[in-house]
Amino acid sequence: MTVVGPFGLSVRDQALEADVQAGLAAVEEGLLEATKSDVPFITEAAQHLVRAGGKRFRPLLVMLAAQFGDPYSLGVVPSAVVVELTHLATLYHDDVMDEADVRRGVPSANARWGNSVAVLTGDFLFARASHILADLGPEAVRIQAEAFERLVTGQILETAGPRDGRDPIDHYLDVLAGKTGSLVAVSGRFGAMMSGADESVVNILTQYGERLGTAFQLADDVLDIASDSHESGKTPGTDLREGIPTLPVLHLRALAEGESGTAEDRALSELLAGDLTDDARHAEALAALRAHPALEQARRDTVRYAEEARATLAPLPFCKAKTALEGLCDSVVHRAG
């Protein structure tokens, strides 16, 4: 058994492993090349998160999806660079919005250089992604533009909050589908499309990516509460401290507001709604939420989306790449505990 990609994904085929590893290495080179500038400071800022590492989850999905056509097609690696550049650009912007201090175990760009530089660096990465996209054809440009619109819409919906009468959990899942699912869906779509796979395969891997992307983000929600390590790339409880209502918190609120809610549920909900910048209050809230059934409910939701992703793969013929994609579903669930 060999291991490749994020979360210790197991690949039991040497030829597939070699293809994926070679593809990811080429993507890494492409990312460094795409983030170079004639201005040394721009290069430093643009490569800040590239060099910090990361899971390369989206490029991995591109490489696996490309196995259903010709994985050596010229558009495969550039399309993987595009989706990762787009993802990295959103991280620069997200850290400004969230006032984050750490990203991938290093100081965030906004903490190091200030908000203006971080925002502009994200814009620079978007520009470089667009430059690469232009060589992949108008269809690729259209697909990326639609996904980017969904991504930004998801971010806006998160900022605006649910409209009156809308279930907050349903609203949140829609936000995740836009913010995370859309770009992961494009990863599956680009890999299959650029490799020349059949249209039916392209559609299946697009749907797979959408569901897997949502499961991936839900696993991050669980990790932010449950992990004692920096496995998520952020300090545990970061979302709590910043007042971001992720799925475990939303499940707790729903329970506290319902008829079956207990006094303890309501007390914890009030604690979470308060100021958690104080270390003692933050530690109290984190410990209580870790022990609350709401966290387990969020885990079950993660499993549900991962299983839905796996189910979409059923029509595909058996092959090592399909097995690896199923393994990604297991890996996402494993991250959530």
Side-chain angles (χ1 to χ4, degrees):
M1 181 182 298
T2 54
V3 173
V4 62
F7 335 127
L9 171 65
S10 298
V11 176
R12 295 176 174 82
D13 182 81
Q14 290 184 346
L16 175 58
E17 182 197 11
D19 277 351
V20 171
Q21 292 283 22
L24 291 176
V27 169
E28 212 63 29
E29 292 179 8
L31 288 171
L32 290 174
E33 185 62 32
T35 48
K36 287 180 181 176
S37 168
D38 293 336
V39 181
F41 177 69
I42 295 178
T43 301
E44 181 185 7
Q47 293 186 350
H48 180 63
L49 289 185
V50 174
R51 295 187 180 279
K55 307 175 191 71
R56 303 295 188 253
F57 176 59
R58 292 155 189 81
L60 173 64
L61 182 51
V62 173
M63 295 304 138
L64 290 175
Q67 293 292 321
F68 292 88
D70 178 5
Y72 310 112
S73 292
L74 293 179
V76 172
V77 169
S79 70
V81 173
V82 165
V83 294
E84 189 66 9
L85 280 176
T86 303
H87 171 58
L88 288 170
T90 66
L91 297 185
Y92 281 83
H93 288 180
D94 283 352
D95 286 346
V96 171
M97 295 180 66
D98 298 339
E99 299 180 353
D101 294 324
V102 177
R103 170 68 71 173
R104 295 182 171 176
V106 300
S108 62
N110 50 296
R112 183 168 178 180
W113 294 296
N115 287 347
S116 294
V117 169
V119 169
L120 291 169
T121 303
D123 293 344
F124 176 80
L125 296 182
F126 284 133
R128 287 298 175 88
S130 298
H131 184 80
I132 297 170
L133 261 176
D135 293 330
L136 297 178
E139 178 68 4
V141 173
R142 183 186 65 79
I143 290 168
Q144 177 74 355
E146 290 176 351
F148 191 53
E149 179 183 346
R150 288 189 61 207
L151 192 158
V152 173
T153 299
Q155 185 68 66
I156 292 172
L157 288 174
E158 180 180 55
T159 303
R163 65 179 183 272
D164 289 345
R166 182 82 198 279
D167 184 286
I169 292 176
D170 289 343
H171 171 83
Y172 182 68
L173 293 173
D174 282 347
V175 165
L176 295 193
K179 280 186 60 179
T180 304
S182 60
L183 194 57
V184 179
V186 167
S187 301
R189 187 170 186 176
F190 273 172
M193 186 175 84
M194 296 298 169
S195 72
D198 291 342
E199 186 64 26
S200 61
V201 174
V202 174
N203 291 335
I204 287 170
L205 292 174
T206 302
Q207 295 171 32
Y208 166 84
E210 176 95 15
R211 290 163 175 78
L212 187 69
T214 300
F216 179 81
Q217 186 57 55
L218 290 177
D220 267 4
D221 286 0
V222 172
L223 271 176
D224 184 63
I225 304 300
S227 177
D228 285 320
S229 70
H230 291 182
E231 186 178 353
S232 64
K234 301 186 296 183
T235 304
T238 295
D239 292 332
L240 282 185
R241 190 182 295 275
E242 294 171 356
I244 299 172
T246 57
L247 192 61
V249 174
L250 293 175
H251 276 308
L252 170 65
R253 287 181 182 174
L255 186 60
E257 294 168 4
E259 294 181 359
S260 60
T262 65
E264 289 78 8
D265 296 332
R266 290 185 285 273
L268 178 54
S269 183
E270 290 175 7
L271 175 63
L272 294 175
D275 182 6
L276 295 182
T277 56
D278 177 77
D279 288 343
R281 286 174 58 85
H282 178 265
E284 179 187 355
L286 186 59
L289 192 53
R290 283 173 174 168
H292 197 277
L295 182 61
E296 187 56 37
Q297 179 60 55
R299 283 195 176 99
R300 289 195 293 270
D301 290 333
T302 304
V303 171
R304 175 167 59 86
Y305 272 92
E307 289 305 314
E308 287 178 3
R310 185 199 305 275
T312 64
L313 298 173
L316 297 178
F318 171 79
C319 63
K320 296 297 183 181
K322 179 180 179 179
T323 301
L325 291 172
E326 291 171 339
L328 268 183
C329 299
D330 295 334
S331 298
V332 167
V333 170
H334 178 72
R335 291 177 72 232

